[in-house]
Amino acid sequence: MTSGAPARDGEALHLNTLSITDTQRYVERGYPWAEWDLLRREAPVYWYDRPDVDPFWALTRYEDALTVSKRSDIFISSDRLRIFPRTQEEFSKRRKAELIARYGPEKARRFYTLSFIDMDDPDHAAYRNLTNRSFTPRAMRMIEDHIAELAEAYASGFAKQLINTVAEQGECDFVHDLSVKLPMAAIFEMVGFPRDDWDELFGIKEIEYGSDRELALAGLTPEERDVERRKANRFSTQYLFDFVEARKKAGAPSDCLADVLLRAELDGRKLEDDEIFSYINLLIAGGLETTRNATTGGVLALLEHPEERDKLVANPELLRPAVEEILRWTSPVIQFARVATEDFELRGHTIRAGETVAMWYPSTNRDEEAWDDPYRFDITRDPNDHLAFGGFGAHFCLGANLARWELRGIFKELLPLLPEMELDGPPFRQDSLHVGGIVKMPVRYRPVPAA
């Protein structure tokens, strides 16, 4: 096995000074591979205490992330689900306390708990099971042809735009001109949004879910970003209210996810509107994040590894293992956190009740104990039981199958185009500790010379 990421500018790393929570570092240099390498090697269960975040145990090895993921009876999600900068953590805690004081614990939970991803069993399982059947492999096979049609349509439009870059008829940004399109359209359709609304919703959701860096790259000042976000949130809230009311009047007759939720019952009661709204918003956000960033990162990986690109172009039957390797390689979800409800021993360390553990998935997917030559991008890698969708436990990503089908669909359509595409400048990276990815990736057309 080989180990170790490339050295970073000759810098010396030390456990007591390294940082894996500096968002500016993610923007400037991408994932902190060298830092994670050091942690895996010297302190795979490490008490991370820095001024910028509330402290937590950093877990960087594959087996440890699996262990915690499978013990949802001990490690819960409702107290702390993600690692955020301290200022954001403090704001969330104040907001939660204010809501509890105003509404009481039960009613307040619907305001500060965004969705079932923040819940623990049995509530988490009960909410998740309302739509689980819509995301099984069997359900995906039933819509596979339609996903392929959407992929073909969006890839075709992107190809025309890309070819125009030869004549200098504008820029081509792979992220916004293609990566966001298929996952957004697929989840819009599954929810039941009318197709005539998609284009407008695309723009609204890009503002609503866009990072601060993403909106800054679009030329917006901080004040303009705040204004645009508020406008997008107001539009999105009103749109969802009107949409759900329309589905109610229609009698919720279809199998779209909105109608499934309107017909659903929990403990003998119908879901309230705020529960449906938060559920749909989670489906949209989750449906966009992994696939969008895996698509962009996957194309970047293939451009940077032309031998693997050419192998895939020449052997389309390798799409399935290639998609799994793209997911491992890109690891779009950086981390999820859990809080221990009782003392737990892990690699000789006692994690005390009330302490947080954070699973750093890109690191687990480069773990030398779990992978042969983990820093080699290999589209034929087998087996490939990566943790790009989280550990194989109660919180395993609901939309994992949908993401896989979408990725296969879009990369199938991109195969003829990949040899004729190249970067037109450096990618711009996300300023986030939760979802890592590329917010802008300029590309241009480079025709392959005739033989």
Side-chain angles (χ1 to χ4, degrees):
M1 293 185 184
T2 63
S3 64
R8 296 287 186 177
D9 303 326
E11 63 187 18
L13 292 174
H14 303 282
L15 285 177
N16 60 344
T17 57
L18 64 75
S19 174
I20 57 173
T21 54
D22 178 6
T23 55
Q24 191 59 34
R25 189 250 188 263
Y26 286 76
V27 167
E28 293 173 355
R29 295 185 291 174
Y31 286 174
W33 298 114
E35 288 85 344
W36 286 328
D37 285 350
L38 180 62
L39 286 168
R40 286 197 310 276
R41 187 167 59 247
E42 297 187 10
V45 180
Y46 177 69
W47 183 244
Y48 188 91
D49 191 356
R50 303 289 189 270
D52 60 330
V53 293
D54 288 344
F56 59 89
W57 290 97
L59 308 184
T60 48
R61 284 209 175 271
Y62 184 94
E63 286 300 328
D64 298 336
L66 274 184
T67 296
V68 168
S69 296
K70 292 178 179 180
R71 293 305 305 269
S72 57
D73 57 325
I74 293 176
F75 294 98
I76 63 172
S77 301
S78 55
D79 282 356
R80 192 180 184 189
L81 183 64
R82 303 171 182 88
I83 302 300
F84 286 126
R86 190 183 294 274
T87 53
Q88 193 171 347
E89 292 269 16
E90 291 172 349
F91 173 81
S92 297
K93 288 177 183 177
R94 288 197 303 271
R95 176 64 174 159
K96 184 175 179 178
E98 291 168 0
L99 290 169
I100 291 174
R102 182 174 179 181
Y103 296 107
E106 286 304 312
K107 189 172 183 181
R109 189 180 69 172
R110 292 186 185 164
F111 293 96
Y112 67 73
T113 297
L114 298 178
S115 57
F116 66 84
I117 194 175
D118 299 85
M119 300 178 185
D120 304 307
D121 288 339
D123 290 342
H124 168 262
Y127 278 88
R128 180 187 177 101
N129 289 340
L130 296 178
T131 61
N132 191 46
R133 291 183 180 179
S134 298
F135 294 94
T136 62
R138 182 173 181 267
M140 292 301 101
R141 284 191 290 272
M142 293 177 66
I143 64 172
E144 184 172 8
D145 289 345
H146 187 59
I147 290 176
E149 290 172 5
L150 289 173
E152 182 180 11
Y154 288 123
S156 176
F158 170 75
K160 293 176 183 176
Q161 187 168 352
L162 181 69
I163 291 170
N164 282 341
T165 61
V166 173
E168 298 182 354
Q169 296 179 14
E171 295 182 348
C172 191
D173 172 18
F174 187 83
V175 177
H176 294 282
D177 294 331
L178 184 59
S179 288
V180 300
K181 299 288 181 68
L182 177 60
M184 194 83 84
I187 198 63
F188 282 175
E189 186 147 76
M190 290 183 71
V191 169
F193 292 152
R195 192 155 190 165
D196 288 347
D197 296 346
W198 287 6
D199 287 344
E200 187 172 24
L201 286 172
F202 270 135
I204 294 297
K205 291 300 179 184
E206 283 203 82
I207 294 171
E208 196 172 15
Y209 296 136
S211 69
D212 200 55
R213 176 167 168 77
E214 198 166 355
L215 296 178
L217 288 173
L220 299 180
T221 66
E223 294 76 18
E224 289 170 335
R225 287 172 231 162
D226 289 341
V227 170
E228 290 303 311
R229 278 204 178 97
R230 286 196 294 270
K231 286 168 56 178
N233 288 336
R234 285 196 298 271
F235 178 93
S236 184
T237 300
Q238 187 62 51
Y239 179 89
L240 198 51
F241 176 84
D242 294 341
F243 168 71
V244 170
E245 287 300 306
R247 299 314 305 163
K248 286 179 183 177
K249 290 177 182 178
S254 75
D255 290 327
C256 75
L257 292 173
D259 286 359
V260 169
L261 292 171
L262 283 167
R263 295 194 300 268
E265 292 188 359
L266 281 176
D267 298 325
R269 68 171 181 85
K270 295 286 188 180
L271 298 184
E272 295 190 19
D273 284 354
D274 58 345
E275 293 174 286
I276 294 173
F277 296 162
S278 66
Y279 205 121
I280 291 175
N281 281 326
L282 173 67
L283 292 175
I284 295 171
L288 177 63
E289 287 177 345
T290 299
T291 313
R292 161 188 168 163
N293 289 303
T295 301
T296 307
V299 165
L300 179 61
L302 290 166
L303 295 180
E304 292 178 336
H305 298 82
E307 69 289 349
E308 295 300 293
R309 177 203 64 199
D310 294 344
K311 187 190 303 180
L312 181 58
V313 171
N315 301 278
E317 67 275 11
L318 293 177
L319 266 174
R320 281 177 178 266
V323 162
E324 298 307 314
E325 180 67 347
I326 284 169
L327 286 163
R328 182 192 76 90
W329 189 259
T330 58
S331 294
V333 177
I334 301 172
Q335 46 80 18
F336 269 118
R338 304 285 188 267
V339 174
T341 58
E342 60 185 68
D343 290 359
F344 189 86
E345 293 292 321
L346 190 62
R347 288 189 188 263
H349 297 275
T350 300
I351 297 169
R352 302 293 182 188
E355 291 179 341
T356 299
V357 298
M359 298 164 283
W360 296 83
Y361 300 118
S363 178
T364 70
N365 287 332
R366 295 291 198 282
D367 185 355
E368 299 82 358
E369 291 184 357
W371 307 97
D372 181 20
D373 201 359
Y375 281 95
R376 175 170 55 88
F377 180 66
D378 178 7
I379 66 167
T380 64
R381 187 181 293 274
D382 182 43
N384 199 341
D385 297 323
H386 57 77
L387 301 186
F389 295 112
F392 297 97
H395 284 267
F396 184 75
C397 178
L398 177 65
N401 291 314
L402 176 60
R404 285 186 164 105
W405 258 259
E406 290 172 351
L407 288 166
R408 291 170 198 158
I410 201 65
F411 277 97
K412 179 182 178 182
E413 296 302 323
L414 283 173
L415 289 182
L417 201 58
L418 284 172
E420 301 181 325
M421 190 190 312
E422 65 182 8
L423 292 178
D424 193 22
F428 295 84
R429 299 186 182 278
Q430 180 85 296
D431 56 338
S432 170
L433 283 183
H434 177 51
V435 177
I438 296 168
V439 298
K440 182 178 181 181
M441 190 168 81
V443 292
R444 64 172 174 251
Y445 185 65
R446 184 205 58 181
V448 175

